[in-house]
Amino acid sequence: MSKVVTFGEVMLRLSTPGHLRFSQAGQFDATFGGGEANVAVSLANYGIDAHFITRLPDNDIAAMCISELRGFGVDTSGIVTGGDRVGIYFLETGAVARGSKVVYDRAHSSISEIKPGMVDWHKVLEGADWFHWTGITPALSQGAADACLEAIKTANEMGVKVSCDLNYRKKLWKYGKSASEVMPALVEGCDLILGNEEDAEKEFGIKPEGFDAENTGGTIDQSRFESVCRQLMERFPRCKKVAVTLRGSINADHNTWGGVLYDGKTLWQSRRYDITHIVDRVGGGDSFMGGLLYGLIALDSDQEAIEFAAAASALKHTIIGDYNRVSVAEVEALVKGGGSGRVSR
């Protein structure tokens, strides 16, 4: 069984019921989520030996989070204890012309105060095939960025492949450094990069020609993103493959969705999904990453891998919560042309 290690922050997620606005909510639905934890859950659902590494306080909320992750089959034995709090994010789910909103309450969370040396990366990465991180982690603090770089360098030394979801979050870069200053040194150690047009532009000044993400009308020419992939591979020579998620936003409830995977020679394009009723789009990119890693590990071709990733993420848009609670069989059924929504009896 292949082993994948992910590293980042997991947070308490407090979301308004249904489509209520923050000002209307008298209560919140509580669960957990975070980019790298979401990937670990997807991989565990697909039968991969998934390990999640973070730093959490020694309290009941952290214990609740760990118990939930273990319930999905994620190995949490490498989580380190320390600090005072679990980060929180509040979610207001939008509808039609009103977009969703996220408010963060994660300052001084345990992982934001992590430092190099707190995680024994040689032990954690022993026997691993992949190490996965996202651009959210180095955005938290200098210590988190340094710990992430420490992990990437250790993985490189040990021959463990490294994947990254660029995940630019402008609300998080507040400790005096910008993404463009910090991210290049980390991405230099990556074998696989996932991103979208905003990530590549904000972090590296790379963008597709003649493309405006705000005015797609739901229609995207996937081949236009080959230039983004090529530029990323030229900037980061270690990288063997680049994937780009392609979201066409018609409104908050209706998106088109797909992705491309580039290996330096061929641009593999997924089927396009017309998601006419989005239940929850948070974690959509993470579910794509989880599906892509599974595909590269377990499937026979890059085309199959990108198809699996796109289908897995299309299904995630129908599921409430950060985690993609689907099986390999369910994803494969959609890849093969399912998706009618008929009752399975």
Side-chain angles (χ1 to χ4, degrees), residues 111-132:
I111 194 170
S112 71
E113 297 176 349
I114 198 170
K115 297 290 188 293
M118 288 185 175
V119 178
D120 184 346
W121 290 112
H122 285 92
K123 180 179 179 181
V124 165
L125 293 169
E126 183 177 359
D129 299 279
W130 285 89
F131 171 71
H132 177 69

Side-chain angles (χ1 to χ4, degrees), residues 291-314:
L292 181 60
L293 283 172
Y294 172 79
L296 294 174
I297 290 168
L299 303 180
D300 294 329
S301 69
D302 286 352
Q303 183 66 56
E304 290 176 286
I306 195 65
E307 292 289 5
F308 190 95
S313 189

Side-chain angles (χ1 to χ4, degrees), residues 273-338:
Y273 292 90
D274 188 24
I275 309 173
T276 57
H277 178 65
I278 296 173
V279 173
D280 191 341
R281 65 172 274 181
V282 176
D286 306 322
S287 62
F288 186 97
M289 187 75 241
L292 181 60
L293 283 172
Y294 172 79
L296 294 174
I297 290 168
L299 303 180
D300 294 329
S301 69
D302 286 352
Q303 183 66 56
E304 290 176 286
I306 195 65
E307 292 289 5
F308 190 95
S313 189
L315 287 172
K316 166 61 193 75
H317 285 71
T318 71
I319 298 169
I320 293 175
D322 270 50
Y323 302 135
N324 196 17
R325 302 165 183 256
V326 298
S327 66
V328 170
E330 289 173 316
V331 179
E332 289 180 338
L334 183 56
V335 170
K336 293 174 183 176

Side-chain angles (χ1 to χ4, degrees), residues 50-124:
H51 294 237
F52 176 61
I53 309 299
T54 192
R55 184 173 185 253
L56 289 171
D58 182 11
N59 64 30
D60 289 345
I61 303 302
M64 179 181 171
C65 175
I66 291 171
S67 177
E68 183 172 85
L69 289 168
R70 286 176 176 166
F72 285 105
V74 175
D75 189 310
T76 60
S77 61
I79 291 177
V80 296
T81 302
D84 297 322
R85 67 182 302 247
V86 177
I88 301 171
Y89 84 91
F90 297 85
L91 173 66
E92 175 187 291
T93 301
V96 195
R98 175 173 61 85
S100 297
K101 287 185 177 180
V102 168
V103 175
Y104 292 121
D105 178 18
R106 61 203 298 180
H108 307 293
S109 65
S110 290
I111 194 170
S112 71
E113 297 176 349
I114 198 170
K115 297 290 188 293
M118 288 185 175
V119 178
D120 184 346
W121 290 112
H122 285 92
K123 180 179 179 181
V124 165

Side-chain angles (χ1 to χ4, degrees), residues 340-345:
S340 66
R342 298 184 64 182
V343 176
S344 177
R345 301 180 188 273

